Amino acid sequence: SQQGEEDPQALSIQEGENATMNCSYKTSINNLQWYRQNSGRGLVHLILIRSNEREKHSGRLRVTLDTSKKSSSLLITASRAADTASYFCATDAMNRDDKIIFGKGTRLHILP
Amino acid sequence: DAGVTQSPTHLIKTRGQQVTLRCSPKSGHDTVSWYQQALGQGPQFIFQYYEEEERQRGNFPDRFSGHQFPNYSSELNVNALLLGDSALYLCASSTFGTGGNTEAFFGQGTRLTVV
């Protein structure tokens, strides 16, 4: 079963614009992670934010976490063609059972 | 330092057949998790192996089984293949006990097509 759910399911923006994707989850978590997947290949880890953190930056990426609303957002600034990919949020569970559960993803397409 | 390697990269099987997929974890990792990703969907957790035992399992039938070897590599076996088993199968490696506290490293996946 899916823990997280990304919104929107698909997003097309012009190169240079900012892209924002949201993730909502159901149960309490220790950490939330964002991954990128290019065209049906393996997943690449982007950023991890802990439940006691509210915001985290990594290069052009900014992630926020609101545990009261059980939601997170991923902002990619100054988008590039190479950012075209699917983006997934993944959460663990408070019982620390060691598995991470993925949402259905947002398919981002950067238009030239 | 090799990352997570999976083999084969592509596979075509007939309904009813059996398939074995293989995964070698990243150096220093002892835990392997397997995921199934249908087209247009997110990865679904199948099971996780540590110390050669299945530690956790997702909502998958017994047709899906696995094994972990002393060198931490792992196999995923699927019996009596159905058309619906067509998917990308992903292997992730990590260190046991870290759970979601650290990133998981994924292989490039095995694309299984059942005809």
Side-chain angles (χ1 to χ4, degrees), chain A residues 1-2 30-33 35 37 39-46 48 50 88 91-92 95-105 107, chain B residues 31 33 35 37 40-45 48 56-57 59 88 90 94-109 111:
Chain A
S1 62
Q2 307 285 160
N30 292 310
N31 306 284
L32 184 144
Q33 304 182 45
Y35 286 81
Q37 185 179 40
S39 190
R41 297 175 62 83
L43 291 131
V44 175
H45 181 264
L46 296 176
L48 180 151
R50 306 192 188 283
F88 297 91
T91 55
D92 62 359
N95 63 3
R96 298 183 62 82
D97 62 4
D98 252 43
K99 66 176 182 275
I100 57 173
I101 303 296
F102 288 85
K104 293 183 179 180
R107 280 157 287 288
Chain B
T31 302
S33 301
Y35 291 82
Q37 186 179 23
Q41 300 295 315
Q44 296 270 350
F45 178 79
Q48 182 184 80
Q56 299 184 70
R57 190 178 184 91
N59 189 24
L88 180 69
L90 294 162
S94 58
T95 301
F96 189 75
T98 59
N101 288 330
T102 60
E103 65 179 287
F105 288 81
F106 282 82
Q108 290 300 299
R111 172 72 63 187

